[in-house]
Amino acid sequence: MTDPGIGRRSFLRAGALLGALALAGCTATPPDSNATASASASGSQGGPSATFTFATAARPSGLDPALVTDTESHRVTRQIFEGLVGVDALTSAPTPLLAESWTESEDGRSYTFALRKGVTFHDGEPFNADAVCANFERWYHLPASARGVGNLAYQSVFNSYSDRPELAVYKSCTAVDEHTVQIDLATRLTGFIPALASPEFAMSSPKALRQFNADALSSEKDGQRLSEYALHPVGTGPFFLESWEGDEVRLATYPDYWGERGQIAGIVFKTMTSPESRLRALKSGQVDGYDLVTVADVDDLARNGLQILQRDPYSVLYLGINQAFPGLDNVKMRQAIAHAIDKDALLEGLFLNGTKQANQFVPEKLGVSSGSVTSYGYDPERAAELLKEAGYKGAELPFHYPRHVTRAYLPTPERVYAELSRQLTAVGLNIKPVPVEWSDDYLQSVQRSGDRALHLLGISGTYDDPDNFVGSLFGSYTEEFAYDDAQLLSKIDRARTLESGPEQTEAYTAISDRIATRVPAIPLAFPISALAFSPRVAVYPTSPLLNEVFNRIELREP
């Protein structure tokens, strides 16, 4: 059955997007075409039979959803794993998934979940209340050696682990009976249910977690330290891992999946780091689709009668500032950098039409008004004055940016860096380019301490709550910004306990303004992201939260 939200969004012919990629609800019939070379025909009888090949911009960093933060890893793990809570395809609101329903106590500190019956993990183990508690307890007791450099989702949402229980929001998990589980919190957490829809809170087989020693990073792949479990993931999702070799990850349909298995029997994720290679692969029929369409792709897609499907914006690109770098602890230096940036010029020709300037870190979709948030207009003269007031003498500022990657928030990093560097240099800043290959662990390299003044990065939202953005980035001290602000932390902690409504919205507006005035980072854009597909694809489950599971893909008959 076609999800009504998916059907409404539908597909756009690429030609319709040449003027503006801001249209979201139109349909067009693609031209007749043979099925792609990578895909077999979908059978109308029996189980799934089609193979779907998808080009990705980077290799996964690991397949343990709790320990990865990058979207390409979660693109794969979303097929293998499921959480208690899902995402509504039309509104992005939380919906039942492995939990059929839940209730909240009056004080907002206890939740009781009624679990779906008849669900098994891919290793045959039953999904039940004990399994839920095993996962929550694993996250809570995660050893420091397994946490990496950046904030994992568990810490962003629940504040702390078992080694700092006085700070932890999570309190306990109780298996009431086989299919009922109770989660107790130390304080009200308004975003608790939306947060459980994040891929990081997917349910793993407790047996597999033990068997593959999930919390010991004893293996290595592509230069990343991983656990054996990150190479042998076991969830309840519609697909299981067949193999992960080099640039290819292969998944197969799980025969005992509790839900609708759909048409896709096998998925092949192929890593192609350049937009040009992904475009060529789609045109030649090597792949059925790819994500992260760039401005340069659109004309070619149109000429070849291929399809583009856009998402509503739910990511933010920012310029990170490391206050541990000499001079950048001076707020006037950071304000000067903010005034030096011409966001109109930055967006022109580098982002898909429909991309908007950002002056805060909370996307418009979440209803936090930016009108009351301090904004730094493009003012190179004021920037130069502030640099002089800050006593800047022309010291070199290393600017880190990624190479050979495309992200939802950063389609062409080299070109974005070049434009920002031009603007910053024009006001008198001495910028030193530091290109870093994304595959050389760029993400962690800019989140640890080091000789770094500025860096390009962004965040793609995974659940429907402002804390997903401001809490993830600024809810605790990180080496990425070296920004220590007890007042901001207090404001974020308070906002997370407020019920949804005007008071909470006002609290997040005040948080956004605090971030803007202190300038630990500069929000640049809320980018539009888009995917491209062959005419064979009739329906793809697009989601601003990237909750795109391939059993919901519908294919046309060849």
Side-chain angles (χ1 to χ4, degrees):
M1 181 183 295
T2 301
D3 187 304
I6 298 167
R8 279 191 59 191
R9 201 167 294 276
S10 192
F11 278 95
L12 302 174
R13 289 280 292 280
L17 285 97
L18 291 177
L21 247 170
L23 196 59
C26 299
T27 61
T29 304
D32 292 333
S33 174
N34 294 327
T36 60
S38 66
S40 60
S42 170
S44 59
Q45 298 179 350
S49 60
T51 299
F52 191 83
T53 304
F54 192 88
T56 62
R59 291 180 178 180
S61 61
L63 297 180
D64 179 349
L67 300 188
V68 291
T69 58
D70 62 295
T71 55
E72 294 301 354
S73 295
H74 284 145
R75 191 192 304 279
V76 179
T77 65
R78 287 181 192 272
Q79 319 302 322
I80 300 171
F81 294 91
E82 296 168 313
L84 296 178
V85 177
V87 174
D88 183 89
L90 184 60
T91 66
S92 298
T95 60
L97 192 56
L98 290 180
E100 292 186 319
S101 63
W102 52 83
T103 58
E104 178 184 356
S105 65
E106 285 190 15
D107 64 1
R109 297 185 180 189
S110 183
Y111 291 80
T112 302
F113 296 87
L115 304 181
R116 192 176 297 277
K117 299 176 182 177
V119 178
T120 60
F121 290 100
H122 301 156
D123 57 4
E125 291 291 299
F127 168 73
N128 53 29
D130 286 337
V132 173
C133 286
N135 277 271
F136 270 91
E137 287 297 299
R138 183 233 172 169
W139 302 329
Y140 179 55
H141 291 286
L142 190 71
S145 59
R147 298 174 198 168
V149 174
N151 264 4
L152 295 178
Y154 182 84
Q155 180 169 340
S156 296
V157 173
F158 295 102
N159 273 6
S160 189
Y161 301 91
S162 60
D163 51 5
R164 297 291 302 277
E166 71 280 7
L167 300 178
V169 172
Y170 171 75
K171 190 174 180 181
S172 66
C173 178
T174 305
V176 178
D177 60 38
E178 185 178 4
H179 296 105
T180 308
V181 67
Q182 179 177 313
I183 308 295
D184 291 317
L185 307 177
T187 184
R188 180 188 291 274
L189 181 60
T190 307
F192 176 61
I193 292 297
L196 292 185
S198 288
E200 295 93 332
F201 298 116
M203 294 287 115
S204 288
S205 162
K207 177 182 176 181
L209 290 172
R210 294 189 302 270
Q211 179 182 353
F212 297 109
N213 207 4
D215 297 342
L217 307 186
S218 56
S219 297
E220 185 173 307
K221 189 173 181 67
D222 301 331
Q224 302 271 1
R225 291 180 61 235
L226 303 171
S227 71
E228 277 297 304
Y229 182 70
L231 303 173
H232 300 88
V234 181
T236 66
F239 301 95
F240 68 90
L241 178 67
E242 269 196 332
S243 64
W244 177 12
E245 297 179 0
D247 286 332
E248 277 196 5
V249 177
R250 290 181 174 267
L251 309 182
T253 183
Y254 176 45
D256 295 327
Y257 180 57
W258 62 269
E260 186 174 347
R261 292 170 66 198
Q263 295 176 269
I264 308 301
I267 304 171
V268 181
F269 289 107
K270 287 189 173 183
T271 300
M272 300 179 177
T273 57
S274 75
E276 296 81 9
S277 64
R278 296 192 292 274
L279 176 61
R280 285 195 301 269
L282 181 62
K283 288 163 55 181
S284 66
Q286 296 177 54
V287 303
D288 297 298
Y290 69 90
D291 198 356
L292 309 177
V293 170
T294 68
V295 173
D297 295 349
V298 174
D299 284 347
D300 213 339
L301 289 166
R303 284 193 295 270
N304 285 275
L306 297 167
Q307 306 177 92
I308 295 178
L309 183 60
Q310 76 170 60
R311 303 182 185 93
D312 293 333
Y314 204 61
S315 65
V316 58
L317 169 67
Y318 62 82
L319 177 67
I321 302 175
N322 177 16
Q323 293 187 33
F325 191 87
L328 292 182
D329 57 339
N330 188 326
V331 70
K332 290 187 176 182
M333 274 285 290
R334 304 195 299 274
Q335 291 171 343
I337 293 169
H339 275 302
I341 296 174
D342 182 351
K343 295 178 184 178
D344 281 337
L346 182 65
L347 300 189
E348 182 66 32
L350 299 183
F351 294 85
L352 295 175
N353 288 345
T355 294
K356 295 184 177 180
Q357 293 184 25
N359 75 315
Q360 64 170 349
F361 286 87
V362 181
E364 292 179 347
K365 176 182 184 297
L366 294 173
V368 178
S369 172
S370 62
S372 303
V373 177
T374 298
S375 181
Y376 297 89
Y378 174 53
D379 189 341
E381 291 183 0
R382 179 58 181 152
E385 290 173 2
L386 285 166
L387 290 179
K388 184 176 181 180
E389 292 173 17
Y392 178 64
K393 304 293 185 182
E396 196 170 66
L397 301 175
F399 188 154
H400 291 230
Y401 63 95
R403 297 185 68 238
H404 298 130
V405 73
T406 310
R407 314 306 290 162
Y409 49 78
L410 187 56
T412 52
E414 295 90 346
R415 294 181 65 193
V416 171
Y417 162 76
E419 176 59 24
L420 281 173
S421 178
R422 181 191 69 78
Q423 295 179 10
L424 297 175
T425 301
V427 301
L429 291 162
N430 182 7
I431 300 298
K432 176 187 177 182
V434 185
V436 180
E437 296 293 323
W438 181 268
S439 58
D440 288 343
D441 208 2
Y442 175 83
L443 192 60
Q444 291 209 23
S445 75
V446 298
Q447 292 178 331
R448 63 169 68 99
S449 60
D451 186 28
R452 177 188 72 255
L454 307 170
H455 65 277
L456 275 177
L457 201 58
I459 181 172
S460 294
T462 58
Y463 64 94
D464 200 35
D465 193 89
D467 194 59
N468 191 193
F469 292 87
V470 296
S472 297
L473 290 171
F474 306 110
S476 62
Y477 175 85
T478 65
E479 298 289 353
E480 179 179 0
F481 309 116
Y483 173 51
D484 199 359
D485 185 346
Q487 184 177 340
L488 177 64
L489 298 182
S490 177
K491 287 178 178 291
I492 291 174
D493 282 344
R494 174 179 175 272
R496 300 166 87 227
T497 68
L498 299 174
E499 293 188 29
S500 297
E503 186 180 6
Q504 190 193 55
T505 299
E506 183 180 336
Y508 277 110
T509 301
I511 288 167
S512 294
D513 191 59
R514 176 74 182 180
I515 294 168
T517 57
R518 303 306 297 165
V519 207
I522 300 168
L524 300 173
F526 296 125
I528 291 285
S529 68
L531 309 101
F533 293 98
S534 75
R536 175 178 183 256
V537 181
V539 172
Y540 179 88
T542 181
S543 165
L545 279 63
L546 307 181
N547 184 49
E548 298 166 354
V549 187
F550 287 10
N551 65 322
R552 293 187 287 155
I553 290 174
E554 293 183 15
L555 304 176
R556 293 183 174 87
E557 294 292 336

